[in-house]
Amino acid sequence: DIQLTQSPSFLSASVGDRVTITCRASQGISNFLAWYQQKPGKAPELLIYTASILQSGVPSRFSGSGSGTEFTLTISSLQPEDFATYYCQQRHSYPITFGQGTRLEIK
Amino acid sequence: EVQLVESGGDLVQPGGSLRLSCAASGFTFSSRWMSWVRQAPGKGLEWVASIRQDDITKHYVDSVRGRFTISRDNAKNSLYLQMNSLRAEDTAVYYCASLYNDVTIFDYWGQGTLVTVSS
């Protein structure tokens, strides 16, 4: 199984900050990686797929990059609504796996 | 507007069975792969199973293979998850999700239904 390790697991930041979350895969997955945002009590929402393609309706302050085994999600200027938990997910091979999550909280 | 509405979650004893349903609307259900993803209380996301449009090709995570069965009824725009031999570790919110462009990118999600396995 492909393991995804996110870092950090917890991040404290302020409105307006630029933040980066990293997702590392245990083996190469090309660009078959997606990012999701989940707010408490809600279902996850797709932000980015194929490593860098922004899902329709997602603000342009979100961006993704990477290929192979290392990927990043960047939020260029944090807004109050961005404080949530973020997950990466690989679709290179079954079983489909998610990272453990990065909880982003307000400093 | 795309809607996925899960139902069927309940409290069940270990070893028991439960059937989850997901009613889809707002898109052409029969043209989409579909999946179930679960989330244990306070934990991360875990993919459970996926099913192709033809109701034949199916994939499962190892921990549920042989106990859970994913199925669909395209005429009813519905997805199902039959869960047998339930264990405490199956306790989770179960989400129904649609897949984008025949690849495992979960673009739409339901609100989830809670399954609790406890005596």
Side-chain angles (χ1 to χ4, degrees):
Chain A
D1 297 4
I2 296 173
Q3 294 184 2
L4 298 178
T5 304
Q6 292 182 228
S7 59
S9 294
F10 177 84
L11 182 56
S12 182
S14 302
V15 172
D17 284 354
R18 178 185 180 91
V19 299
T20 297
I21 299 169
T22 297
C23 178
R24 289 187 173 87
S26 59
Q27 64 188 76
I29 59 171
S30 185
N31 61 354
F32 298 142
L33 190 99
W35 290 95
Y36 300 85
Q37 177 193 68
Q38 186 179 33
K39 297 180 179 178
K42 300 293 187 182
E45 293 185 0
L46 176 64
L47 295 175
I48 288 169
Y49 60 95
T50 314
S52 62
I53 301 174
L54 204 63
Q55 170 70 340
S56 176
V58 174
S60 59
R61 62 181 180 273
F62 291 91
S63 64
S65 66
S67 67
T69 61
E70 187 154 333
F71 302 85
T72 59
L73 171 70
T74 299
I75 310 172
S76 60
S77 178
L78 275 174
Q79 298 302 300
E81 60 268 29
D82 300 336
F83 292 93
T85 300
Y86 294 84
Y87 295 93
C88 57
Q89 172 244 321
Q90 65 82 21
R91 61 176 177 88
H92 178 272
S93 56
Y94 287 102
I96 305 304
T97 49
F98 290 86
Q100 83 280 12
T102 294
R103 185 176 169 190
L104 176 55
E105 291 204 340
I106 301 174
K107 185 182 288 184
Chain B
E1 178 193 5
V2 170
Q3 280 201 313
L4 295 169
V5 180
E6 302 94 336
S7 60
D10 205 348
L11 170 63
V12 60
Q13 291 189 340
S17 297
L18 208 56
R19 188 194 196 207
L20 305 184
S21 299
C22 171
S25 60
F27 66 103
T28 306
F29 178 78
S30 59
S31 69
R32 293 274 199 131
W33 278 76
M34 297 293 296
S35 286
W36 290 97
V37 176
R38 68 183 179 183
Q39 186 169 36
K43 303 297 184 182
L45 300 170
E46 181 184 33
W47 168 79
V48 174
S50 293
I51 185 170
R52 202 168 67 178
Q53 294 91 328
D54 59 7
D55 196 25
I56 297 175
T57 299
K58 305 175 185 182
H59 300 282
Y60 297 92
V61 67
D62 281 351
S63 60
V64 309
R65 186 175 292 113
R67 300 188 299 122
F68 290 11
T69 301
I70 188 172
S71 63
R72 64 193 295 161
D73 185 336
N74 289 335
K76 295 183 178 180
N77 290 338
S78 292
L79 177 72
Y80 306 103
L81 186 67
Q82 177 66 43
M83 304 185 295
N84 299 331
S85 303
L86 282 161
R87 306 167 180 167
E89 54 265 35
D90 296 318
T91 294
V93 173
Y94 284 73
Y95 294 103
C96 162
S98 65
L99 275 59
Y100 172 71
N101 261 12
D102 285 357
V103 295
T104 313
I105 298 167
F106 306 109
D107 60 347
Y108 294 109
W109 299 67
Q111 85 289 349
T113 187
L114 176 62
V115 173
T116 303
V117 184
S118 174
S119 55

